Amino acid sequence: MSAGLEVVRAGALTTVQDEGRTGWAHLGVPRAGALDGPARRLVNRLAGNTPDAAVLETTLTGCAVRVTGDRPVLAVVGGAGCRVTVDGRPVAWGAPVRVPPGAVLEAGPAVHGLRGYLAFAGGLVPEPVLGSRSADLLSGLGPPVLREGDALPLGPGHGAPAVDAVPWPGVPAELVLPLHPGPRDGWFTEAALCTLTTAVYRVSERSNRIGLRTEGPALERARDGELPSEGMVLGAVQVPPEGLPLVFLNDHPTTGGYPVVGVVPEAALAGAAQAVPGTPVRFVRA
Amino acid sequence: MSGPRVLPAGPRALLVELASGEEAEAFHAELLRRRAAGELPAVREVVPGARTVLLDGVEDPGLAGRLRAWTVPPLRRGDGEAVEIPVVYDGPDLADVAEAWGVAVGEVPRLHARTEFRVAFCGFAPGFGYLTGLPGHLNVPRRATPRTRVPAGALALAGPYTGVYPRPSPGGWQLIGRMPEPEALWDTGREPAALFGPGTRVRFVEAGVRG
């Protein structure tokens, strides 16, 4: 009894993601992994998987996959809210759905939020690279971005899930990001630091898995010059020369040369994963 | 010598800033030595930079204070086996580098290949190392106009660093040659995946005639 997936509609950007690859940043390897960690864990839990199983992460437009093989597959669509169908018939969002062999599971375009997560019992099992099955779009490690016709293997299922419903957090109308100042807040003027934590920024449409870019008032530097390359953490708020804060997400480079004015704790980044362009962003002192 | 600056990088990371690249390399070596000896509390990542070492995934709030009080022995550049990299010195920027160094073009390979290099830190792309070892008077600026495509294996200089591009990418470094088999720089099927990990000693060996 085997099962797999065939990609019928790849969507705008759909990738395989798990917890990501840690422990390799010193070699220049980004962490990668699902941008909305809590959503990834929830869909896995509902599919009867361990939290670290690999899932699909969609972007705005969802995706559709056909179940191949000779057994039905339990699937869960969560994260961004969307219409879910099996062979065109509406089924539950955010809850386990049985997909028969040959049937097409479709996650429609997001109606709220941005990134959808599709878990399948047994998890996606493409070949791991450095301990992770995550696609890393900065350095190209891991499985490639999904394309129509791709085949994806599934692991053996573990039996029935322990839960069939979980509370899903809503997507807030405003993204509030707690900010720990440093390490390079000293590179900015007092006025800039005040602006950063009082002004309203908006999510830029140039945002991606590398970083959440913002639009709003530029931050003025207190000193000129270049910062020698230094290690960057997930959630670092880097300020490039044009002065607009950029929040590093999972595919961020491991070292960088623009000053980091502050850091958003990892736990607050799930909201950044779901914020569509135009969403107001406020940085508040943690 | 005063201790290093230890700056917070969010709730779970510390950025240790040293006075020079040489001190940062020495501090990183000491960190790895203490980690191997079991004297460092668990951290997820230790990421050296040009003048810093980042410790990410720090659970011990007392670590910052202890790092400031460390006594770090100076770096011993000659320790350990050196990786030998065959290269051909035929890069398009050889003449510019020769001019910056104030030597004849033919002197550039000799001066470069006799240098003992050490990987100070990685970044830019998996497998790309920033190698130190060239004396200060042989530092060169980046190109005024970066190239849109630098081929894999290109041997390049910028500032105090030497690097070899593990794969094609845009780049602004001065190209002095190439490594004929750049696949060896990064191989995820090998342990370790990177030929140039931080702390690795490197020697470049002239592999062929200049074209």
Side-chain angles (χ1 to χ4, degrees), chain B residues 93-105:
Chain B
D93 299 328
L94 262 183
D96 288 352
V97 170
E99 192 183 332
W101 287 4
V103 300
V105 170

Side-chain angles (χ1 to χ4, degrees), chain B residues 34-188:
Chain B
R34 295 201 190 203
R35 181 146 93 161
E39 296 168 18
L40 191 72
V43 296
R44 194 169 53 213
E45 308 272 6
V46 175
V47 188
R51 276 183 214 154
T52 55
V53 182
L54 174 73
L55 290 95
D56 195 5
V58 176
E59 303 296 337
D60 177 353
L63 183 59
R66 297 206 301 280
L67 291 173
R68 285 187 189 100
W70 277 15
T71 305
V72 176
L75 186 69
R76 289 164 50 174
R77 299 193 75 88
D79 283 3
E81 254 333 81
V83 178
E84 291 206 343
I85 305 295
V87 291
V88 183
Y89 286 97
D90 62 356
D93 299 328
L94 262 183
D96 288 352
V97 170
E99 192 183 332
W101 287 4
V103 300
V105 170
E107 276 292 282
V108 173
R110 201 182 61 78
L111 287 168
H112 191 260
R114 79 174 187 195
T115 306
E116 276 278 344
F117 290 96
R118 189 176 185 278
V119 181
F121 62 101
C122 296
F124 176 60
F128 187 87
Y130 292 76
L131 279 57
T132 55
L134 281 177
H137 69 276
L138 299 186
N139 293 359
V140 294
R142 286 163 189 267
R143 283 169 52 85
T145 311
R147 289 187 171 87
T148 53
R149 189 177 185 278
V150 172
L155 172 66
L157 308 181
Y161 303 112
T162 287
V164 187
Y165 287 75
R167 58 177 193 213
S169 60
W173 291 29
Q174 311 255 16
L175 309 186
I176 61 165
R178 62 193 156 87
M179 175 181 175
E181 290 168 14
E183 305 77 23
L185 288 170
W186 179 251
D187 177 358
T188 55

